[in-house]
Amino acid sequence: MKKVFFVGFGNLLTAMVTPFDANNQVDFAKTTKLIEYLLANGSEGLVVGGTTGESPTLTTDEKIALFKHTVKVVNNRVPVIAGSGSNSTQASITLTKAAEKSGADGIMLVAPYYNKPNQEGLYRHFAAIAGETALPVMLYNIPGRSAVKISAEIIIRLSQIDNIVSVKEASGDLDLAADVIEHTADNFSVYSGEDSITLPLLSLGADGVVSVVSHIAGNDMSEMLKAYQSGDVARAASIHRKLLPVMKGMFAQPSPVPVKTALNMNGIDVGDVRLPLLAMTDSEKEILKNLIQR
């Protein structure tokens, strides 16, 4: 594979939901409208087909169609990162190759879930996939969903592979993040995978966030990042505190149920969620509505 030339994904990336129609099929017209809305409201990159995009319930064909559609609509305005990871190394390689063919700017590889590999197994899984693509790779460390944590040592080892350039860190382990930032090259980027710890991670040297709350507060998240980067830490902290209840509200129910509900409330029609996720009850919607309005 040719050596990757990586110039970065941006600071505020949105883990994009997947819009569905009334029959719970992927709705590409709604997807186009959502993409334009996100790009007009602070998003500097889009992650497609990830957890927030309900990847466990998307078929391979649906994922590839989403990659192609998003790349076409975005038209090189921001990076498009395709969620091509799974708990099958070979299946991940196949989907990664399809993502590369679709024109995606990078791929995101989640830690293999359910089969619970050891750390050396994690290393070989990610290295095998990275070796089959020229695209830049973002690792995704989320033990709360995958049941395995990628250790700092393994992330640091993986960062020495040319096209493994980034990690979405959602373990909640600030010590791990600090260790990775300290012992990887300056051009290896670390992103918060949880909105609520973005500012603490920035203070450790992280580069930005792969955000969910940016669906409804993108400009606020962008302002927080820019304030911190410009040295106005007090302003960044003030915005963080203001957004914190909304950040928590986006995960009061299994994600992406709250954020899809919030988008629909705000006039951005993204449809419902697929089973086994369930729509919010009327009382839950009322709580969310009051939270967003405040």
Side-chain angles (χ1 to χ4, degrees):
M1 291 293 165
K2 64 181 180 180
K3 187 171 181 178
V4 65
F5 178 70
F6 181 65
V7 295
F9 292 129
N11 300 118
L12 177 59
L13 313 181
T14 296
M16 194 173 78
V17 304
T18 300
F20 296 134
D21 62 20
N23 297 313
N24 255 7
Q25 300 302 301
V26 177
D27 191 315
F28 293 100
K30 289 179 182 177
T31 301
T32 297
K33 292 178 181 177
L34 175 62
I35 290 168
E36 295 298 343
Y37 165 78
L38 292 173
L39 297 191
N41 287 275
S43 293
E44 300 172 9
L46 301 176
V47 177
V48 185
T51 306
T52 312
E54 296 178 74
S55 57
T57 68
L58 295 176
T59 67
T60 298
D61 287 345
E62 286 175 327
K63 290 177 183 178
I64 294 170
L66 268 172
F67 299 161
K68 290 179 178 178
H69 182 80
T70 303
V71 166
K72 181 179 179 181
V73 174
V74 168
N75 193 26
N76 297 313
R77 287 177 288 174
V78 300
V80 175
I81 303 165
S84 61
S86 72
N87 63 345
S88 164
T89 306
Q90 189 54 55
S92 299
I93 289 171
T94 300
L95 186 55
T96 293
K97 289 181 175 180
E100 185 169 1
K101 189 175 180 180
S102 77
D105 300 288
I107 59 166
M108 185 178 72
L109 301 178
V110 68
Y113 39 85
Y114 189 75
N115 38 17
K116 298 179 72 173
N118 63 20
Q119 292 298 308
E120 185 61 26
L122 288 171
Y123 177 86
R124 295 189 189 187
H125 169 81
F126 292 122
I129 302 166
E132 295 291 334
T133 182
L135 289 177
V137 175
M138 174 186 284
L139 308 172
Y140 185 13
N141 196 15
I142 183 164
R145 287 183 181 267
S146 65
V148 292
K149 179 194 281 190
I150 316 170
S151 70
E153 178 187 3
I154 293 300
I155 295 171
I156 293 163
R157 277 181 64 193
L158 286 165
S159 76
Q160 295 165 13
I161 296 172
D162 283 344
N163 61 331
I164 297 183
V165 300
S166 184
V167 63
K168 178 184 176 184
E169 174 49 48
S171 71
D173 187 340
L174 296 182
D175 290 347
L176 181 150
D179 201 13
V180 169
I181 293 166
E182 179 66 19
H183 294 100
T184 52
D186 289 344
N187 61 352
F188 183 85
S189 55
V190 175
Y191 288 88
S192 173
E194 299 178 62
D195 285 300
S196 62
I197 62 169
T198 300
L199 196 55
L201 279 175
L202 290 176
S203 73
L204 293 173
D207 298 270
V209 58
V210 180
S211 177
V212 173
V213 78
S214 56
H215 283 92
I216 61 168
N219 288 326
D220 290 316
M221 287 294 290
S222 178
E223 186 181 352
M224 182 183 77
L225 290 165
K226 290 175 181 175
Y228 184 85
Q229 290 161 348
S230 69
D232 192 349
V233 177
R235 174 66 179 154
S238 174
I239 298 169
H240 172 86
R241 292 192 301 270
K242 180 182 74 173
L243 288 178
L244 190 57
V246 183
M247 294 173 179
K248 291 182 176 180
M250 290 303 100
F251 293 90
Q253 300 290 326
S255 184
V257 175
V259 71
K260 273 195 155 182
T261 306
L263 282 165
N264 290 330
M265 287 177 178
N266 286 352
I268 310 299
D269 183 7
V270 293
D272 209 337
V273 290
R274 284 178 172 174
L275 284 170
L277 299 180
L278 295 174
M280 298 178 83
T281 65
D282 289 342
S283 60
E284 290 167 344
K285 288 179 181 178
E286 191 63 28
I287 293 170
L288 182 63
K289 181 179 179 181
N290 291 335
L291 180 65
I292 294 170
Q293 287 177 340
R294 284 205 307 272

Coordinates of all heavy atoms in Angstrom, one line a residue, residues 83-166:
G83 N -17.2 4.2 9.1 CA -17.1 3.2 10.1 C -17.1 1.8 9.5 O -18.2 1.2 9.2
S84 N -15.9 1.2 9.4 CA -15.8 0.0 8.7 C -15.3 -1.2 9.6 O -15.0 -2.3 9.1 CB -14.9 0.1 7.5 OG -13.6 0.5 7.9
G85 N -15.2 -0.9 10.9 CA -14.8 -1.9 11.8 C -15.9 -2.8 12.3 O -17.0 -2.4 12.3
S86 N -15.5 -4.0 12.7 CA -16.4 -5.0 13.3 C -15.6 -5.9 14.1 O -14.4 -5.7 14.3 CB -17.2 -5.7 12.2 OG -16.4 -6.7 11.5
N87 N -16.2 -7.0 14.6 CA -15.5 -8.0 15.4 C -15.0 -9.1 14.5 O -14.5 -10.1 15.0 CB -16.3 -8.6 16.5 CG -17.6 -9.3 16.0 OD1 -18.0 -9.2 14.9 ND2 -18.2 -10.1 16.9
S88 N -15.1 -9.0 13.2 CA -14.5 -9.9 12.2 C -13.4 -9.2 11.4 O -13.7 -8.2 10.7 CB -15.6 -10.4 11.3 OG -15.0 -11.1 10.2
T89 N -12.2 -9.7 11.6 CA -11.1 -9.0 10.8 C -11.3 -9.0 9.3 O -11.2 -8.0 8.7 CB -9.8 -9.7 11.2 OG1 -9.6 -9.7 12.6 CG2 -8.6 -8.9 10.6
Q90 N -11.7 -10.2 8.8 CA -11.9 -10.3 7.4 C -13.0 -9.5 6.9 O -12.9 -8.8 5.8 CB -12.0 -11.8 6.9 CG -12.0 -12.0 5.4 CD -10.8 -11.4 4.8 OE1 -9.6 -11.7 5.1 NE2 -10.9 -10.5 3.8
A91 N -14.1 -9.5 7.6 CA -15.3 -8.6 7.2 C -14.9 -7.2 7.2 O -15.4 -6.4 6.4 CB -16.5 -8.9 8.1
S92 N -14.1 -6.8 8.2 CA -13.7 -5.4 8.3 C -12.8 -5.0 7.2 O -12.9 -3.9 6.6 CB -12.9 -5.2 9.7 OG -13.8 -5.4 10.8
I93 N -11.9 -5.9 6.7 CA -11.1 -5.6 5.6 C -11.9 -5.4 4.3 O -11.7 -4.5 3.5 CB -10.1 -6.8 5.4 CG1 -9.0 -6.8 6.5 CG2 -9.4 -6.7 4.0 CD1 -8.1 -8.0 6.5
T94 N -12.9 -6.3 4.2 CA -13.8 -6.2 3.0 C -14.5 -4.9 3.0 O -14.6 -4.2 1.9 CB -14.8 -7.4 3.0 OG1 -14.1 -8.6 2.9 CG2 -15.7 -7.3 1.8
L95 N -15.1 -4.5 4.1 CA -15.9 -3.2 4.2 C -14.9 -2.0 4.0 O -15.3 -1.0 3.4 CB -16.7 -3.2 5.5 CG -17.6 -2.0 5.6 CD1 -18.6 -1.9 4.5 CD2 -18.4 -2.1 6.9
T96 N -13.7 -2.2 4.6 CA -12.7 -1.1 4.5 C -12.4 -0.8 3.0 O -12.3 0.3 2.5 CB -11.5 -1.4 5.3 OG1 -11.8 -1.4 6.7 CG2 -10.4 -0.4 5.0
K97 N -12.2 -1.9 2.3 CA -11.9 -1.8 0.8 C -13.0 -1.1 0.1 O -12.8 -0.3 -0.8 CB -11.6 -3.1 0.2 CG -10.2 -3.7 0.7 CD -9.9 -5.0 0.0 CE -8.5 -5.5 0.4 NZ -8.2 -6.8 -0.2
A98 N -14.3 -1.5 0.5 CA -15.5 -0.8 -0.1 C -15.5 0.6 0.2 O -15.9 1.5 -0.6 CB -16.7 -1.5 0.3
A99 N -15.2 1.0 1.5 CA -15.2 2.4 1.9 C -14.1 3.2 1.1 O -14.4 4.3 0.7 CB -14.9 2.5 3.4
E100 N -13.0 2.6 0.9 CA -11.9 3.2 0.1 C -12.4 3.5 -1.3 O -12.2 4.6 -1.9 CB -10.6 2.4 0.1 CG -9.5 3.1 -0.6 CD -8.1 2.4 -0.3 OE1 -8.1 1.4 0.4 OE2 -7.1 2.9 -0.8
K101 N -13.1 2.5 -1.9 CA -13.6 2.6 -3.3 C -14.7 3.7 -3.3 O -14.8 4.3 -4.4 CB -14.1 1.2 -3.7 CG -14.5 1.2 -5.2 CD -14.9 -0.2 -5.6 CE -15.2 -0.3 -7.1 NZ -15.6 -1.7 -7.5
S102 N -15.4 3.8 -2.2 CA -16.5 4.8 -2.2 C -16.0 6.3 -2.2 O -16.8 7.2 -2.5 CB -17.4 4.6 -1.0 OG -16.8 5.1 0.2
G103 N -14.7 6.5 -1.9 CA -14.2 7.8 -1.9 C -14.0 8.4 -0.5 O -13.7 9.6 -0.3
A104 N -14.3 7.6 0.5 CA -14.1 8.1 1.9 C -12.7 8.6 2.2 O -11.7 8.1 1.5 CB -14.5 7.0 2.9
D105 N -12.6 9.5 3.1 CA -11.3 10.1 3.4 C -10.5 9.4 4.5 O -9.3 9.6 4.7 CB -11.5 11.6 3.8 CG -12.1 12.4 2.7 OD1 -11.4 12.7 1.7 OD2 -13.3 12.7 2.9
G106 N -11.2 8.5 5.2 CA -10.6 7.7 6.3 C -11.6 6.7 6.8 O -12.7 6.7 6.3
I107 N -11.1 5.8 7.6 CA -12.0 4.8 8.2 C -11.8 4.8 9.7 O -10.8 5.2 10.3 CB -11.6 3.4 7.7 CG1 -10.2 3.0 8.0 CG2 -12.0 3.3 6.2 CD1 -9.9 1.5 7.8
M108 N -12.9 4.4 10.4 CA -12.9 4.2 11.8 C -13.1 2.8 12.2 O -14.0 2.1 11.7 CB -14.0 5.1 12.5 CG -13.9 5.0 14.0 SD -15.2 6.1 14.8 CE -16.6 5.1 14.5
L109 N -12.2 2.2 13.0 CA -12.2 0.8 13.4 C -12.5 0.7 14.9 O -11.6 1.0 15.7 CB -10.9 0.2 13.0 CG -10.4 0.2 11.5 CD1 -9.1 -0.5 11.4 CD2 -11.5 -0.5 10.6
V110 N -13.6 0.2 15.2 CA -14.0 -0.1 16.6 C -13.3 -1.3 17.1 O -12.9 -2.2 16.4 CB -15.5 -0.2 16.7 CG1 -16.0 -1.5 16.0 CG2 -16.0 -0.2 18.2
A111 N -13.0 -1.3 18.4 CA -12.4 -2.5 19.0 C -13.4 -3.7 18.9 O -14.6 -3.5 19.0 CB -12.2 -2.2 20.5
P112 N -12.9 -4.8 18.5 CA -13.7 -6.0 18.3 C -14.6 -6.3 19.5 O -14.0 -6.4 20.6 CB -12.8 -7.1 17.9 CG -11.5 -6.4 17.5 CD -11.5 -5.1 18.2
Y113 N -15.9 -6.4 19.3 CA -16.8 -6.6 20.4 C -17.2 -8.1 20.5 O -17.1 -8.9 19.5 CB -18.1 -5.8 20.2 CG -18.5 -5.7 18.7 CD1 -19.3 -6.7 18.2 CD2 -18.0 -4.7 17.9 CE1 -19.6 -6.6 16.8 CE2 -18.4 -4.6 16.6 CZ -19.2 -5.6 16.0 OH -19.5 -5.6 14.7
Y114 N -17.6 -8.5 21.6 CA -18.2 -9.9 21.9 C -17.2 -11.0 22.0 O -17.2 -11.7 22.9 CB -19.3 -10.2 20.9 CG -20.0 -11.5 21.3 CD1 -21.0 -11.5 22.3 CD2 -19.8 -12.7 20.7 CE1 -21.6 -12.6 22.8 CE2 -20.4 -13.9 21.1 CZ -21.4 -13.8 22.1 OH -22.0 -15.0 22.5
N115 N -16.3 -11.1 21.0 CA -15.3 -12.2 21.0 C -14.1 -11.9 22.0 O -13.3 -12.8 22.2 CB -14.8 -12.6 19.6 CG -14.6 -11.4 18.7 OD1 -14.5 -10.2 19.1 ND2 -14.5 -11.7 17.4
K116 N -14.0 -10.6 22.5 CA -13.1 -10.3 23.6 C -11.6 -10.8 23.3 O -11.1 -11.6 24.1 CB -13.6 -10.8 24.9 CG -14.9 -10.3 25.3 CD -15.4 -10.8 26.6 CE -14.7 -10.3 27.8 NZ -15.3 -10.7 29.1
P117 N -11.0 -10.3 22.3 CA -9.6 -10.7 22.1 C -8.6 -10.1 23.1 O -9.0 -9.1 23.8 CB -9.3 -10.0 20.7 CG -10.2 -8.9 20.6 CD -11.5 -9.3 21.3
N118 N -7.5 -10.7 23.3 CA -6.5 -10.1 24.2 C -5.8 -9.0 23.5 O -6.1 -8.7 22.3 CB -5.5 -11.2 24.7 CG -4.7 -11.8 23.6 OD1 -4.5 -11.3 22.5 ND2 -4.1 -13.0 23.9
Q119 N -4.8 -8.3 24.2 CA -4.2 -7.1 23.6 C -3.4 -7.4 22.3 O -3.5 -6.6 21.4 CB -3.3 -6.4 24.7 CG -4.1 -5.9 25.9 CD -5.0 -4.7 25.4 OE1 -4.7 -3.8 24.7 NE2 -6.3 -4.8 25.8
E120 N -2.7 -8.5 22.3 CA -2.0 -8.9 21.1 C -3.0 -9.2 19.9 O -2.7 -8.8 18.8 CB -1.1 -10.1 21.3 CG -0.2 -10.4 20.1 CD 0.8 -9.3 19.7 OE1 1.1 -8.4 20.6 OE2 1.2 -9.2 18.6
G121 N -4.1 -9.8 20.3 CA -5.1 -10.0 19.2 C -5.7 -8.7 18.7 O -5.9 -8.5 17.5
L122 N -5.9 -7.7 19.6 CA -6.3 -6.4 19.1 C -5.3 -5.8 18.2 O -5.6 -5.2 17.1 CB -6.5 -5.4 20.3 CG -7.7 -5.7 21.2 CD1 -7.7 -4.9 22.5 CD2 -9.0 -5.4 20.5
Y123 N -4.0 -5.8 18.6 CA -3.0 -5.3 17.7 C -3.0 -5.9 16.3 O -3.0 -5.2 15.3 CB -1.6 -5.5 18.4 CG -0.5 -5.0 17.5 CD1 -0.1 -3.6 17.5 CD2 0.2 -5.8 16.6 CE1 0.9 -3.1 16.7 CE2 1.2 -5.3 15.7 CZ 1.5 -4.0 15.8 OH 2.5 -3.5 14.9
R124 N -3.0 -7.2 16.3 CA -3.0 -7.9 15.0 C -4.2 -7.6 14.2 O -4.2 -7.5 12.9 CB -2.8 -9.4 15.2 CG -1.4 -9.7 15.8 CD -1.2 -11.2 15.8 NE 0.0 -11.5 16.6 CZ 0.6 -12.7 16.7 NH1 0.0 -13.7 16.0 NH2 1.6 -12.9 17.4
H125 N -5.4 -7.5 14.8 CA -6.6 -7.2 14.1 C -6.5 -5.8 13.4 O -6.7 -5.7 12.2 CB -7.8 -7.1 15.1 CG -9.1 -6.6 14.6 ND1 -10.0 -7.3 13.9 CD2 -9.6 -5.3 14.8 CE1 -11.0 -6.6 13.6 NE2 -10.8 -5.4 14.1
F126 N -6.1 -4.8 14.2 CA -6.0 -3.5 13.6 C -4.9 -3.4 12.5 O -5.1 -2.7 11.5 CB -5.8 -2.4 14.7 CG -7.0 -2.2 15.6 CD1 -6.9 -2.4 16.9 CD2 -8.2 -1.8 15.1 CE1 -8.0 -2.2 17.8 CE2 -9.3 -1.7 15.9 CZ -9.2 -1.8 17.3
A127 N -3.8 -4.0 12.8 CA -2.7 -4.0 11.9 C -3.0 -4.6 10.6 O -2.7 -4.2 9.5 CB -1.4 -4.6 12.5
A128 N -3.8 -5.8 10.7 CA -4.2 -6.5 9.4 C -5.1 -5.6 8.6 O -4.9 -5.6 7.3 CB -4.9 -7.8 9.8
I129 N -6.0 -4.9 9.2 CA -6.9 -4.1 8.4 C -6.2 -2.9 7.8 O -6.3 -2.6 6.6 CB -8.1 -3.6 9.3 CG1 -8.9 -4.8 9.8 CG2 -9.1 -2.7 8.4 CD1 -9.8 -4.4 11.0
A130 N -5.4 -2.2 8.6 CA -4.6 -1.1 8.1 C -3.7 -1.5 7.0 O -3.5 -0.7 6.1 CB -3.8 -0.5 9.3
G131 N -3.2 -2.7 7.0 CA -2.3 -3.2 5.9 C -3.0 -3.4 4.6 O -2.3 -3.6 3.6
E132 N -4.3 -3.4 4.6 CA -5.1 -3.6 3.4 C -5.7 -2.4 2.8 O -6.5 -2.4 1.9 CB -6.2 -4.6 3.7 CG -5.7 -6.0 4.0 CD -5.0 -6.7 2.9 OE1 -5.3 -6.4 1.7 OE2 -4.1 -7.6 3.2
T133 N -5.3 -1.2 3.3 CA -5.9 0.1 2.8 C -4.8 1.2 2.8 O -3.9 1.1 3.6 CB -7.1 0.5 3.6 OG1 -7.7 1.7 3.0 CG2 -6.7 0.8 5.1
A134 N -5.0 2.1 1.9 CA -4.1 3.3 1.9 C -4.8 4.4 2.7 O -4.2 5.5 2.9 CB -3.8 3.8 0.5
L135 N -6.0 4.2 3.2 CA -6.7 5.3 3.9 C -6.2 5.5 5.3 O -5.7 4.5 5.9 CB -8.2 5.0 4.0 CG -9.0 5.0 2.7 CD1 -10.5 4.6 3.0 CD2 -9.0 6.5 2.1
P136 N -6.2 6.7 5.8 CA -5.9 6.9 7.2 C -6.9 6.2 8.1 O -8.1 6.2 7.9 CB -5.9 8.4 7.4 CG -6.6 9.0 6.2 CD -6.5 8.0 5.1
V137 N -6.4 5.7 9.2 CA -7.2 4.9 10.2 C -7.4 5.6 11.5 O -6.4 6.0 12.1 CB -6.6 3.5 10.4 CG1 -7.4 2.7 11.4 CG2 -6.5 2.7 9.1
M138 N -8.6 5.7 12.0 CA -8.9 6.1 13.3 C -9.3 4.9 14.1 O -10.3 4.2 13.8 CB -10.1 7.2 13.3 CG -10.5 7.6 14.7 SD -12.0 8.7 14.7 CE -11.2 10.2 14.2
L139 N -8.6 4.6 15.2 CA -9.0 3.6 16.1 C -10.2 4.1 17.0 O -10.3 5.3 17.2 CB -7.9 3.2 17.0 CG -6.6 2.8 16.3 CD1 -5.5 2.6 17.4 CD2 -6.7 1.5 15.5
Y140 N -11.0 3.2 17.5 CA -12.1 3.6 18.3 C -12.1 2.7 19.6 O -12.4 1.5 19.6 CB -13.4 3.4 17.5 CG -14.7 3.8 18.2 CD1 -14.7 4.6 19.4 CD2 -15.9 3.5 17.7 CE1 -15.9 5.0 20.0 CE2 -17.1 3.9 18.3 CZ -17.1 4.7 19.4 OH -18.3 5.1 20.0
N141 N -11.8 3.3 20.7 CA -11.6 2.6 22.0 C -12.9 2.9 22.8 O -13.1 4.0 23.4 CB -10.4 3.2 22.7 CG -10.0 2.3 23.8 OD1 -10.4 1.1 23.9 ND2 -9.1 2.8 24.7
I142 N -13.8 1.9 22.9 CA -15.0 2.1 23.6 C -15.4 0.8 24.4 O -16.3 0.1 24.0 CB -16.2 2.6 22.7 CG1 -17.5 2.8 23.4 CG2 -16.3 1.6 21.5 CD1 -18.5 3.6 22.7
P143 N -14.7 0.6 25.5 CA -14.9 -0.7 26.2 C -16.4 -0.8 26.8 O -16.8 -2.0 27.0 CB -13.9 -0.6 27.4 CG -13.5 0.8 27.5 CD -13.7 1.4 26.1
G144 N -17.1 0.3 27.0 CA -18.4 0.2 27.5 C -19.4 -0.6 26.5 O -20.4 -1.2 26.9
R145 N -19.0 -0.6 25.2 CA -19.8 -1.3 24.2 C -19.1 -2.5 23.7 O -19.7 -3.5 23.3 CB -20.1 -0.3 23.0 CG -21.2 0.7 23.3 CD -21.5 1.5 22.1 NE -22.5 2.6 22.4 CZ -23.8 2.4 22.2 NH1 -24.3 1.3 21.8 NH2 -24.6 3.4 22.5
S146 N -17.8 -2.5 23.6 CA -17.0 -3.6 23.0 C -16.6 -4.7 24.0 O -16.2 -5.8 23.6 CB -15.8 -3.1 22.3 OG -14.9 -2.5 23.2
A147 N -16.6 -4.3 25.3 CA -16.2 -5.2 26.4 C -14.7 -5.5 26.4 O -14.2 -6.2 27.3 CB -16.9 -6.6 26.3
V148 N -14.0 -4.8 25.6 CA -12.5 -4.8 25.7 C -12.0 -3.4 25.5 O -12.5 -2.6 24.8 CB -11.8 -5.7 24.6 CG1 -12.1 -7.2 24.8 CG2 -12.3 -5.3 23.2
K149 N -10.9 -3.1 26.3 CA -10.3 -1.8 26.2 C -8.9 -2.0 25.5 O -8.1 -2.9 25.8 CB -10.0 -1.2 27.6 CG -9.3 0.1 27.6 CD -8.8 0.5 29.0 CE -9.9 1.0 29.9 NZ -9.3 1.6 31.2
I150 N -8.7 -1.1 24.5 CA -7.4 -1.1 23.9 C -6.4 -0.3 24.8 O -6.7 0.8 25.2 CB -7.4 -0.3 22.5 CG1 -8.6 -0.7 21.7 CG2 -6.1 -0.6 21.7 CD1 -8.8 0.1 20.4
S151 N -5.4 -1.0 25.2 CA -4.5 -0.4 26.2 C -3.7 0.7 25.6 O -3.5 0.8 24.3 CB -3.5 -1.4 26.7 OG -2.6 -1.8 25.7
A152 N -3.2 1.6 26.4 CA -2.3 2.7 25.9 C -1.1 2.1 25.1 O -0.7 2.6 24.1 CB -1.9 3.6 27.0
E153 N -0.5 1.1 25.7 CA 0.6 0.4 25.0 C 0.3 0.0 23.6 O 1.1 0.2 22.7 CB 1.1 -0.8 25.9 CG 2.3 -1.5 25.3 CD 2.6 -2.8 26.0 OE1 1.9 -3.1 26.9 OE2 3.6 -3.5 25.6
I154 N -0.9 -0.6 23.4 CA -1.2 -1.1 22.1 C -1.5 0.1 21.1 O -1.2 0.0 20.0 CB -2.4 -2.1 22.2 CG1 -2.0 -3.3 22.9 CG2 -3.0 -2.4 20.8 CD1 -0.8 -4.1 22.2
I155 N -2.2 1.1 21.6 CA -2.5 2.3 20.8 C -1.1 2.9 20.3 O -1.0 3.3 19.2 CB -3.4 3.3 21.5 CG1 -4.7 2.7 21.8 CG2 -3.5 4.6 20.7 CD1 -5.6 3.6 22.7
I156 N -0.2 3.0 21.3 CA 1.1 3.6 20.9 C 1.8 2.7 19.9 O 2.4 3.3 18.9 CB 1.9 3.7 22.2 CG1 1.3 4.8 23.1 CG2 3.4 4.1 21.9 CD1 1.8 4.8 24.6
R157 N 1.8 1.4 20.1 CA 2.4 0.5 19.1 C 1.7 0.7 17.7 O 2.4 0.8 16.7 CB 2.3 -1.0 19.5 CG 3.3 -1.4 20.5 CD 3.1 -2.9 20.8 NE 3.2 -3.8 19.6 CZ 2.8 -5.1 19.6 NH1 2.2 -5.6 20.7 NH2 3.0 -5.8 18.5
L158 N 0.4 0.7 17.7 CA -0.3 0.9 16.5 C 0.0 2.2 15.8 O 0.0 2.3 14.5 CB -1.8 0.7 16.7 CG -2.3 -0.7 17.0 CD1 -3.7 -0.7 17.6 CD2 -2.3 -1.6 15.7
S159 N 0.2 3.2 16.6 CA 0.5 4.5 16.0 C 1.7 4.6 15.1 O 2.0 5.5 14.4 CB 0.6 5.6 17.1 OG 1.8 5.5 17.8
Q160 N 2.6 3.5 15.3 CA 3.8 3.5 14.5 C 3.6 2.9 13.1 O 4.5 2.9 12.3 CB 4.8 2.6 15.3 CG 5.3 3.3 16.6 CD 6.0 2.3 17.6 OE1 6.4 1.2 17.2 NE2 6.1 2.7 18.8
I161 N 2.4 2.4 12.9 CA 2.0 2.0 11.5 C 1.6 3.2 10.8 O 0.8 4.1 11.2 CB 0.8 1.0 11.6 CG1 1.3 -0.3 12.3 CG2 0.3 0.6 10.2 CD1 0.2 -1.3 12.6
D162 N 2.1 3.4 9.5 CA 2.0 4.7 8.8 C 0.6 5.2 8.7 O 0.4 6.4 9.0 CB 2.6 4.5 7.4 CG 4.1 4.5 7.3 OD1 4.7 4.9 8.3 OD2 4.6 4.0 6.3
N163 N -0.4 4.4 8.4 CA -1.7 5.0 8.2 C -2.6 4.9 9.4 O -3.8 5.2 9.3 CB -2.3 4.4 6.9 CG -2.5 2.9 7.0 OD1 -1.8 2.2 7.7 ND2 -3.5 2.4 6.3
I164 N -2.1 4.4 10.5 CA -2.9 4.5 11.8 C -2.6 5.8 12.4 O -1.5 6.0 13.0 CB -2.7 3.3 12.7 CG1 -3.2 2.0 12.0 CG2 -3.5 3.5 14.0 CD1 -3.0 0.8 12.8
V165 N -3.5 6.8 12.3 CA -3.1 8.2 12.6 C -3.9 8.8 13.7 O -3.7 10.0 14.0 CB -3.4 9.0 11.3 CG1 -2.5 8.5 10.1 CG2 -4.8 9.0 10.8
S166 N -4.9 8.1 14.3 CA -5.8 8.7 15.2 C -6.5 7.7 16.1 O -6.5 6.5 15.8 CB -6.9 9.5 14.4 OG -7.7 10.2 15.2

